[in-house]
Amino acid sequence: MSRPTIKTDLMTAGETGYLKLVEVMQALPDQTQDFNFEVTEKMTEAHWRRDQNLRDVLIHLYEWHQLLLNWVEANQNGKAEPFLPVPYNWKTYGQMNQEFWEKHQTTSLEDAKKLLHDSHIAVMTLADTFSNEELFTKQYFSWTGTSSLGAYFISATSSHYDWAMKKLKKQIKANR
């Protein structure tokens, strides 16, 4: 499916992506096992070394859902907040991701699954409250900058779910 440009496609992509992610999770031979695939020099993104198991991946998704939910709520309530909390920006968000990872090293896999499930529902419910125009008109809301609100929802759901599935499929392949 191509990147959504209308609300119905955004909603479908989010739900379909989540269901596919659950299927891929269920295909993992051992959901508690640390990843054992080879990380090569071509895999330059920090997540290849940071997220070491299913829990880490699910918590990453959950925390990005929280960023979206908190950002929208604050701005809708008249409190101008950037998407990334201070002191982070788009050049330093890797440090924020590392802090998310550290924060959840004692979170159980079952808790991570529940957190993600509940936050997915919350994000999709929130997305559904906006009109197509509100979601896909760039700068409809002053607080979305030069982007559309829908782009943030896509990034936090279907695009991020694709990222997670790629990583989990690599683990599945490594264990064949």
Side-chain angles (χ1 to χ4, degrees), residues 5 37 40 50 80 83 110 119 121 130 151 157 171:
T5 56
F37 54 77
T40 68
R50 182 191 64 232
F83 181 78
E110 290 310 310
S119 66
I121 291 170
F130 292 99
T157 59
Q171 174 66 5

Side-chain angles (χ1 to χ4, degrees), residues 24-38 52-54 166-176:
V24 173
M25 285 177 4
Q26 291 171 342
L28 282 170
D30 179 354
Q31 292 188 351
T32 61
Q33 175 185 15
D34 279 354
F35 296 146
N36 60 359
F37 54 77
E38 181 183 1
Q52 295 298 307
N53 51 49
L54 176 59
K166 179 179 178 183
K167 190 156 190 163
L168 299 180
K169 286 176 180 178
K170 197 154 197 62
Q171 174 66 5
I172 291 167
K173 186 176 179 182
N175 283 287
R176 285 194 179 144

Side-chain angles (χ1 to χ4, degrees), residues 7-153:
K7 179 179 176 176
T8 54
D9 289 351
L10 180 149
M11 300 301 290
T12 299
E15 290 299 340
T16 303
Y18 182 76
L19 293 173
K20 286 181 183 177
L21 174 61
V22 169
E23 281 181 32
V24 173
M25 285 177 4
Q26 291 171 342
L28 282 170
D30 179 354
Q31 292 188 351
T32 61
Q33 175 185 15
D34 279 354
F35 296 146
N36 60 359
F37 54 77
E38 181 183 1
V39 177
T40 68
E41 66 279 349
K42 292 180 181 179
M43 301 159 99
T44 58
E45 299 96 341
H47 73 86
W48 290 111
R49 288 178 173 73
R50 182 191 64 232
D51 301 325
Q52 295 298 307
N53 51 49
L54 176 59
R55 183 220 38 228
D56 293 347
V57 170
L58 301 183
I59 285 300
H60 178 85
L61 297 172
Y62 161 76
E63 286 289 353
W64 277 79
H65 284 168
Q66 295 311 298
L67 287 175
L68 178 66
L69 293 166
N70 293 335
W71 175 65
V72 172
E73 179 183 3
N75 282 283
Q76 283 187 311
N77 290 328
K79 186 175 179 196
E81 293 279 342
F83 181 78
L84 297 175
V86 174
Y88 303 107
N89 59 47
W90 291 109
K91 291 182 181 176
T92 63
Y93 73 94
Q95 295 167 359
M96 180 188 66
N97 285 334
Q98 182 65 32
E99 287 185 23
F100 291 157
W101 181 88
E102 290 169 7
K103 174 181 166 184
H104 286 283
Q105 287 306 292
T106 58
T107 301
S108 71
L109 175 58
E110 290 310 310
D111 286 347
K113 287 178 181 180
K114 176 148 180 44
L115 288 168
L116 177 61
H117 175 77
D118 292 349
S119 66
H120 167 77
I121 291 170
V123 166
M124 297 307 294
T125 300
L126 179 60
D128 200 32
T129 67
F130 292 99
S131 69
N132 192 65
E133 182 181 13
E134 290 169 323
L135 286 168
F136 288 100
T137 301
K138 288 185 178 186
Q139 301 177 329
Y140 185 91
F141 298 104
S142 60
W143 40 274
T144 63
T146 59
S147 196
S148 69
L149 181 58
Y152 286 91
F153 276 96

